[in-house]
Amino acid sequence: MSIQTSVPTAAIHIDVADEDDEDALIRLAQAGDGAAFGRLYDRYLPSIYRYTYSKTSSRSAAEDLTSETFLRAFRAIARRPRAQLNFAAWLVTIARNVVIDHHRSGWSRLAIVTDEVDPQVDDAIGPEQAALASVSEASLRTALDRLPEDQRECLLLRFFTGLSINETAIAMDRTDGAVKQLQFRATNRLRRILKDL
């Protein structure tokens, strides 16, 4: 007598009446549903692209790294228990590892660097995002490079990638309170650096 240890994808039916039900999409993607993973991809693509671009300054490298991030996520999602999976933070962790691999491989030296960035316009941005948007990209990159690594990473995750405090805390392996303090120190220090530029 053989016991089936995996459930065929066709046998799993989860009603996804609301396309925004992330838990249902994740469960479907974990069961091998490519369309559900595609919806998660569409939802998180802009954030992951902004993150990889902020780490490379190259559109083509950012596109490649974003694709690699989602490919690794697609291959690994079935092995991740949903109870332990904050999808946004998990994707950023994968993206961070992809970027590290990219820089270690030496390909980053071959990437074409561009100073152009498509503006990300959001009518509901807060005061911190509005301040960042008012600064030229070159000045902002220079100022960000002068921040300590943990402060720079916090700002990139919060304001360029768009993660919440909790998602940033998970991605950085810190508490919510620690991320709030780190963000406060980073924005104050960034403001002082920008004033001196």
Side-chain angles (χ1 to χ4, degrees):
M1 177 174 168
S2 115
I3 299 174
Q4 187 174 359
T5 57
S6 64
V7 179
T9 305
I12 296 176
H13 175 69
I14 299 171
D15 185 25
V16 186
D18 179 7
E19 287 189 17
D20 291 331
D21 185 358
E22 185 168 296
D23 287 335
L25 290 174
I26 290 169
R27 285 192 301 274
L28 285 168
Q30 287 176 317
D33 186 329
F37 190 85
R39 290 202 298 254
L40 291 167
Y41 172 89
D42 290 341
R43 182 178 295 171
Y44 288 102
L45 176 66
S47 296
I48 297 301
Y49 175 80
R50 283 192 304 272
Y51 178 79
T52 58
Y53 183 83
S54 73
K55 296 292 192 173
T56 62
S57 300
S58 166
R59 289 176 194 261
S60 60
E63 289 169 358
D64 291 345
L65 297 175
T66 300
S67 294
E68 179 64 21
T69 297
F70 281 100
L71 180 61
R72 288 185 189 184
F74 182 72
R75 289 178 178 160
I77 194 166
R79 297 187 307 266
R80 296 296 302 219
R82 176 60 191 137
Q84 301 170 1
L85 182 61
N86 179 311
F87 195 75
W90 181 62
L91 273 180
V92 169
T93 301
I94 293 171
R96 181 185 300 149
N97 292 332
V98 167
V99 168
I100 289 169
D101 291 348
H102 169 74
H103 287 299
R104 285 182 183 159
S105 74
W107 281 105
S108 61
R109 291 186 289 276
L110 300 175
I112 299 171
V113 179
T114 179
D115 289 331
E116 299 175 19
V117 176
D118 293 330
Q120 300 292 325
V121 178
D122 184 358
D123 295 332
I125 63 174
E128 290 164 323
Q129 292 96 335
L132 290 174
S134 69
V135 177
S136 76
E137 182 195 355
S139 298
L140 184 57
R141 282 197 179 280
T142 301
L144 283 170
D145 287 342
R146 293 183 184 174
L147 290 176
E149 177 61 30
D150 61 341
Q151 291 181 6
R152 179 174 49 248
E153 187 74 10
C154 179
L155 292 182
L156 289 174
L157 293 174
R158 287 284 294 126
F159 303 114
F160 290 92
T161 306
L163 296 184
S164 68
I165 293 284
N166 182 256
E167 291 166 338
T168 302
I170 292 168
M172 294 186 76
D173 196 25
R174 296 180 182 227
T175 65
D176 289 3
V179 166
K180 288 177 185 177
Q181 289 178 354
L182 187 61
Q183 177 183 319
F184 178 76
R185 287 193 309 270
T187 54
N188 283 336
R189 190 168 189 170
L190 185 65
R191 187 180 318 111
R192 287 193 305 271
I193 292 169
L194 287 169
K195 192 183 293 186
D196 293 340
L197 290 179

